[in-house]
Amino acid sequence: MPKSQIPVLKKNRPKGNTSRKIVLILLLLFIVLLAVLFFRSSMSRISSIEITGNVYTTTSELLEKSGLKEGDQFFGTSSAEVIERLKTFKAVANVTVDKQFPGIIHIKVQEYPTVAYELGADGTLQAILASGTSLNVPANIGVAVEKPILTQWKADDPLKEQLSETLATIPNELTTDISEIIPNPTPSFPDQIRLYTKSQFEVITTISKLPDKVEYLNQVIETERPGKITMLEADTYVPFIADDPEDGEEPGATP
């Protein structure tokens, strides 16, 4: 008689793997649901934008350039993008952006320092920043009286920007007596300038030599009578009023 075959019993599949997959799917769905609810809620929106540190650039200009608006997505724009946009202003030297969840963005602007002033074509007083940018002085801020006035400079003169950058490198205490700076180019010295001081000196020098010569200028101002100072290849000083011969002094130049 043929032997009867006993059917092979099927092994029970473990239920653990299936349960874990179901839990994982449910968890992912829950996270997606929370994300959707969050980005539709007011907590994900910009509720306040604070801008500080600006003097010559208005808050409205900075806000428009930043690309941020109240009600926009808080995570929609990175801090780096905002900084890059705001630094396109020639008056802005540095920007920091601090995002405080939920919804608050604080922008701190650092503008270039004021190095001089000039009168605009319409007669308004303009501040010249270290970047060479000229901006109207707001009525609500004071004027630094120790800064010189630039006169007879053309708006597009590249030497004006060079002068602004140079003045920014000189300590304030060395330029407080300078009242006016006028362009005075020559074939030998294209960047030559003429300075007038509050102590009634007339000074001839160049933009490139000014940082190295300004200490000599202050020494003469502190020790000599008003006169003409030339600071080019050599430094000379001639008083406007010659010494009285009766005093036993001979007029001349100080090298």
Side-chain angles (χ1 to χ4, degrees), residues 116-128:
Y117 296 96
E118 68 177 345
L119 290 177
D122 57 354
T124 58
L125 184 64
Q126 294 184 326
I128 302 175

Side-chain angles (χ1 to χ4, degrees), residues 184-234:
N184 190 42
T186 65
S188 300
F189 300 101
D191 65 337
Q192 184 170 292
I193 52 177
R194 185 187 303 271
L195 314 178
Y196 292 97
T197 70
K198 299 181 181 75
S199 51
Q200 301 181 349
F201 283 81
E202 179 184 340
V203 184
I204 300 296
T205 187
T206 65
I207 297 172
S208 56
K209 294 181 184 297
L210 183 59
D212 296 327
K213 302 288 188 178
V214 71
E215 289 191 14
Y216 169 75
L217 168 63
N218 282 273
Q219 289 174 7
V220 176
I221 289 173
E222 292 174 359
T223 58
E224 303 292 345
R225 293 173 297 161
K228 184 174 182 178
I229 304 172
T230 301
M231 301 185 300
L232 296 172
E233 296 301 334

Side-chain angles (χ1 to χ4, degrees), residues 147-192:
K147 302 297 182 183
I149 301 291
L150 303 193
T151 57
Q152 302 179 26
W153 290 84
K154 296 180 180 179
D156 57 350
D157 190 339
L159 292 177
K160 181 180 173 183
E161 182 175 348
Q162 182 183 341
L163 174 61
S164 302
E165 294 173 351
T166 299
L167 289 173
T169 66
I170 302 174
N172 288 334
E173 60 268 19
L174 297 180
T175 61
T176 53
D177 197 51
I178 300 174
S179 60
E180 185 178 8
I181 304 177
I182 302 172
N184 190 42
T186 65
S188 300
F189 300 101
D191 65 337
Q192 184 170 292

Side-chain angles (χ1 to χ4, degrees), residues 18-32:
T18 303
S19 299
R20 280 195 293 269
K21 289 180 180 179
I22 293 174
V23 171
L24 181 60
I25 293 171
L26 291 176
L27 182 60
L28 289 174
L29 290 174
F30 182 71
I31 292 173
V32 171

Side-chain angles (χ1 to χ4, degrees), residues 3 12 47 52 61 104-105 152 220 224 230 233 238 252-253:
K3 295 181 179 180
N12 293 329
S47 60
T52 60
E61 288 174 330
I104 299 175
I105 298 179
Q152 302 179 26
V220 176
E224 303 292 345
T230 301
E233 296 301 334
V238 179

Side-chain angles (χ1 to χ4, degrees), residues 6 23 33 53 55 65 85 102 104 116 133 136 146 149 154 158 191 227 238 255:
I6 300 175
V23 171
L33 179 61
V55 176
K65 180 66 72 172
R85 291 170 186 169
I104 299 175
T133 302
N136 290 334
E146 74 275 9
I149 301 291
K154 296 180 180 179
D191 65 337
V238 179

